[in-house]
């Protein structure tokens, strides 16, 4: 059996070594395709793969057609919007993610972006502190919970909204649960986004919602670029010179944001929330173990597509 690690944005070497140990200990072969750039290289590499470990790499119907022996794809990470789940089901391929394994890394980067913004991008002028500020956590999943934990250390006043997480679960963490996204944005000085990219959430972070934020509002995005209505956010930031946007996922309109809002906008050049050795090891080795469990014992824990 051949397990392919196909990561355009590679894991740390120590994580690849750990994945290799798991795969080879199970008697399987490991193949590595990193920084491949063009889809053609991925299409070639998947031809004889029985299992694939990916990150944000796109697995669509064309890739699945090319992967004649494929049985399982594990997205080493949380969001699986990069995998065509229906096509995977149609090809009889199991898709899994590794929830929670990289969430601390993403949460820490959210604070990296927050501190950078409130210290005026480190331009030497007097900024402000996070202590005492109202932080809104938009979606209270694994990353949101880590954000809440870290925010307590900063002495922030913490609020959260999650359409699917019960209020008592949020409040058990000492976080104030609000009834709607609208209330979260109206209440908080800083909102940190942790929603997945789904049909319902795409373009949902729009003028009406972000426009509710109090003066000096800061929006931090370590989730997905697709959830932002970029045209409306640009319009809003033109109307309101007090708002800031910090993102780990470069928008399609990056150049427009950067030229129109210097000092109020920043994007990392490459999505790097989960780019730590620890997160790579956790998510990568979890993915390898899930593949071994699936191939050897048929274990389908963390399956995200229909059969
Ligand atoms: C995730 O969904 O797990 C994060 O967005 C990290 O994605 P990455 O593996 O592409 O860095």
């Amino acid at each position: 059996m051949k397990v392919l690690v196909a990561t355009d944005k590679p894991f740390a070497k120590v994580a690849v070594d750990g994945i290799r140990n798991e795969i080879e200990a199970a008697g399987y072969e490991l193949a590595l395709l990193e920084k491949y750039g063009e889809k053609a290289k991925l299409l070639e590499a998947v031809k004889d793969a029985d299992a694939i470990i990916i990150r944000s790499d796109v697995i669509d119907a064309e890739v699945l057609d090319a992967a004649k022996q494929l049985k399982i794809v594990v997205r080493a990470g949380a969001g699986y919007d990069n995998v065509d789940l229906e096509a995977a089901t149609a090809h009889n391929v199991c898709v899994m993610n590794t929830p929670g394994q990289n969430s601390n890394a993403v949460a820490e980067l959210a604070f990296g972006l927050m501190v950078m913004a409130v210290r005026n991008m480190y331009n030497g002028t007097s900024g402000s502190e996070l202590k005492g500020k109202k932080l809104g956590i938009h979606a209270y999943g694994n990353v949101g919970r880590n954000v809440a934990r870290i925010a307590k250390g900063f002495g922030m006043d913490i609020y959260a909204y999650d359409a699917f997480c019960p209020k008592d679960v949020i409040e058990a963490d000492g976080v104030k649960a609000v009834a709607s996204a609208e209330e979260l944005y109206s209440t908080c000085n800083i909102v940190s986004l942790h929603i997945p990219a789904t049909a319902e959430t795409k373009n949902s972070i729009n003028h009406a919602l972000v426009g509710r934020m109090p003066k000096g509002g800061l929006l931090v995005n370590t989730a997905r670029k697709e959830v932002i209505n970029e045209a409306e956010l640009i319009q809003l930031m033109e109307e309101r010179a007090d708002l800031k946007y910090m993102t780990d996922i470069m928008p399609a309109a990056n150049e427009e944001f950067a030229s129109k809002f210097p000092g109020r906008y920043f994007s990392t050049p490459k999505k790097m929330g989960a780019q730590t050795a620890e997160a790579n090891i956790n998510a990568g080795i979890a993915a390898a173990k899930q593949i071994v469990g699936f191939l050897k014992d048929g274990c389908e824990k963390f399956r995200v597509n229909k059969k």
Side-chain angles (χ1 to χ4, degrees):
M1 294 266 191
K2 189 185 255 191
V3 179
L4 172 70
V5 174
T7 48
D8 194 47
K9 181 174 60 184
F11 291 124
K13 186 183 175 301
V14 63
V16 177
D17 292 344
I19 294 169
R20 186 181 299 281
N21 286 343
E22 294 292 333
I23 297 303
E24 290 181 354
Y28 304 146
E29 183 191 340
L30 189 93
L32 193 57
L33 177 72
E34 295 182 323
K35 292 189 190 171
Y36 52 87
E38 305 147 26
K39 189 176 185 184
K41 291 187 184 159
L42 178 63
L43 292 173
E44 183 60 31
V46 299
K47 273 184 182 163
D48 58 351
D50 295 281
I52 309 178
I53 296 174
I54 53 159
R55 297 186 64 180
S56 292
D57 308 81
V58 174
I59 302 294
D60 59 14
E62 190 184 7
V63 176
L64 291 159
D65 281 343
K68 299 278 182 253
Q69 286 177 212
L70 190 63
K71 297 153 190 69
I72 178 168
V73 174
V74 181
R75 192 285 189 241
Y80 43 85
D81 46 299
N82 47 321
V83 182
D84 185 334
L85 298 186
E86 278 182 22
T89 298
H91 284 79
N92 200 22
V93 169
C94 174
V95 182
M96 295 182 186
N97 66 349
T98 65
Q101 300 291 347
N102 59 16
S103 44
N104 180 64
V106 178
E108 287 190 11
L109 188 78
F111 284 90
L113 294 172
M114 275 180 230
V115 172
M116 184 176 174
V118 298
R119 296 304 184 97
N120 300 333
M121 313 296 187
Y122 308 127
N123 71 359
T125 63
S126 185
S128 61
E129 300 179 17
L130 296 181
K131 187 177 178 187
K133 299 295 181 303
K134 290 185 165 64
L135 171 68
I137 302 174
H138 193 167
Y140 204 68
N142 289 309
V143 182
R145 276 160 229 238
N146 276 288
V147 167
R149 175 181 52 77
I150 299 167
K152 284 178 199 160
F154 275 96
M156 301 184 85
D157 187 12
I158 314 164
Y159 296 76
Y161 171 68
D162 190 309
F164 305 100
C165 182
K167 194 176 170 186
D168 54 330
V169 171
I170 295 175
E171 300 209 321
D173 287 350
V175 174
K176 297 176 188 92
V178 297
S180 64
E182 286 73 18
E183 189 182 343
L184 190 78
Y185 285 72
S186 301
T187 307
C188 296
N189 309 104
I190 301 170
V191 172
S192 191
L193 279 171
H194 303 292
I195 50 176
T198 65
E200 292 75 38
T201 63
K202 281 182 185 163
N203 285 314
S204 66
I205 308 305
N206 56 20
H207 187 288
L209 194 59
V210 185
R212 289 174 168 268
M213 292 188 79
K215 192 167 183 325
L218 164 62
L219 180 66
V220 177
N221 184 6
T222 55
R224 288 290 181 275
K225 71 174 179 206
E226 291 82 2
V227 302
I228 303 286
N229 184 322
E230 293 184 13
E232 291 194 17
L233 184 58
I234 288 171
Q235 189 197 330
L236 178 67
M237 288 177 72
E238 281 172 341
E239 290 163 12
R240 284 187 50 181
D242 60 300
L243 294 177
K244 290 182 180 169
Y245 179 47
M246 306 291 283
T247 181
D248 184 36
I249 314 95
M250 191 175 275
N254 173 57
E255 283 179 19
E256 193 176 352
F257 273 104
S259 65
K260 286 188 168 160
F261 313 119
R264 305 199 276 139
Y265 165 78
F266 173 80
S267 174
T268 55
K270 256 196 178 177
K271 182 166 153 234
M272 55 179 294
Q275 200 57 320
T276 66
E278 294 90 337
N280 292 170
I281 291 167
N282 292 344
I285 293 179
K289 287 189 165 154
Q290 287 171 217
I291 285 172
V292 173
F294 176 83
L295 293 177
K296 289 215 183 287
D297 305 319
C299 177
E300 298 201 353
K301 193 174 174 194
F302 304 121
R303 181 173 185 138
V304 295
N305 66 324
K306 293 195 183 112
K307 277 200 173 187

